[in-house]
Amino acid sequence: MSSTGTGAYEGFTAEEKAAMKEHAQEMKKAARRSSRADKAAEAERDVLAKIAEMQDSDRVMAERVHAVVRANAPVLAPKLWYGMPAYALDGKIVCFFQSAEKFKSRYATLGFNDPAKLDEGMMWPTAFALTEVTPEVEARIAALVKQAVS
């Protein structure tokens, strides 16, 4: 949400409004699917289609994140969440990939929600900036998603 320098509320940004509209469409589409198997297969197709729509570097990173999550946390179900590729456990979003383009950011983000078991003491990171997915970054993502569902 944006505000002026004086703290006055200006409303949601165009990008935030678009994400909310995408989320509403995702919810309607999911409600129309018939069987559980259909829902899972269609949800994965939706995620892959959304990744395919991304700009070059975001698409490459999202493809690698998707592959790493699927290989290292197969219990997580791919689904769209506010127009972003996300991965859920028992219907609750555990982690998601946010492209840099989506909110006009200088980096993509790998984020984790509270169902992720990343707790470490009194404070721990829940979002990670991504500028490239190297083998080292893939190993770190693999460790994080394994921990998130442990």
Side-chain angles (χ1 to χ4, degrees):
M1 295 187 300
S2 60
S3 63
T4 64
T6 62
Y9 175 70
E10 292 180 0
F12 293 104
T13 66
E15 295 82 12
E16 290 167 332
K17 288 176 186 175
M20 288 185 279
K21 285 180 183 177
E22 282 183 285
H23 185 60
Q25 291 170 344
E26 294 158 8
M27 299 299 286
K28 288 177 187 176
K29 190 173 185 179
R32 287 191 302 261
R33 293 182 177 142
S34 55
S35 74
R36 187 176 191 158
D38 286 346
K39 288 180 183 185
E42 274 194 59
E44 178 134 21
R45 281 193 297 272
D46 291 346
V47 166
L48 293 173
K50 183 58 75 173
I51 290 170
E53 293 172 4
M54 293 179 185
Q55 299 284 329
D56 296 333
S57 65
D58 283 338
R59 186 185 66 253
V60 170
M61 287 189 290
E63 289 169 347
R64 294 306 314 140
V65 167
H66 181 77
V68 170
V69 171
R70 298 298 285 144
N72 291 280
V75 67
L76 293 177
K79 67 185 285 180
L80 289 178
W81 185 62
Y82 292 95
M84 297 178 284
Y87 305 88
L89 181 62
D90 299 326
K92 295 181 180 172
I93 301 299
V94 173
C95 61
F96 60 92
F97 177 85
Q98 179 179 300
S99 70
E101 179 187 19
K102 184 154 187 81
F103 293 105
K104 297 181 173 83
S105 178
R106 65 184 179 92
Y107 51 80
T109 303
L110 175 64
F112 292 86
N113 287 340
D114 15 328
K117 298 174 184 167
L118 299 179
D119 304 36
E120 187 178 299
M122 301 297 282
M123 184 176 161
W124 57 90
T126 59
F128 299 84
L130 294 173
T131 58
E132 185 179 359
V133 179
T134 63
E136 295 81 16
V137 171
E138 285 184 11
R140 179 94 189 270
I141 293 169
L144 284 167
V145 296
K146 285 178 185 175
Q147 181 181 349
V149 297
S150 64

